[in-house]
Amino acid sequence: MEELLNLLTDGRSRTIEMLANELGTTNEDILRKIDFLEQSKIIRRVATSYSKKCSGCSHGGNCNSQACAACMPKGGFKNMGVMWEVIK
């Protein structure tokens, strides 16, 4: 469990498949452990998506439009894994 916790909190996003591969286990085992850590309030999932409307977007305005290109990372989030943080 400690190895998984270290991977989840190292600042890199990973898919469940990547975590399983790095730890030499199955996707189901990783999901079970993550569920336990979340239910125990040890970790929480970090939001990695933008809302439908921009608010105070990074290019300096309140554009109130669909997530504008200036706010989105190049290529969007389509290939990004999930990230978790330790709850303090």
Side-chain angles (χ1 to χ4, degrees):
M1 191 78 72
E2 190 172 326
E3 290 175 319
L4 175 60
L5 196 55
N6 288 335
L7 289 177
L8 293 177
T9 59
D10 74 356
R12 292 181 49 211
S13 65
R14 294 175 174 86
T15 63
I16 297 300
E17 293 81 11
M18 292 168 72
L19 289 166
N21 187 39
E22 285 186 56
L23 296 175
T25 190
T26 64
N27 294 353
E28 292 78 16
D29 184 46
I30 295 297
L31 289 169
R32 195 171 30 257
K33 289 177 179 177
I34 287 173
D35 186 52
F36 172 80
L37 291 169
E38 287 179 320
Q39 293 297 319
S40 300
K41 304 216 183 287
I42 295 170
I43 63 171
R44 69 177 159 221
R45 189 178 304 245
V46 177
T48 56
S49 62
Y50 281 87
S51 63
K52 292 184 179 188
K53 299 282 185 182
C54 291
S55 60
C57 60
S58 64
H59 65 274
N62 289 313
C63 63
N64 290 324
S65 65
Q66 295 298 322
C68 62
C71 293
M72 294 293 287
K74 189 173 183 178
F77 287 109
K78 61 185 173 187
N79 294 320
M80 187 168 186
V82 179
M83 295 179 69
W84 286 267
E85 65 185 357
V86 174
I87 299 173
K88 301 203 183 250

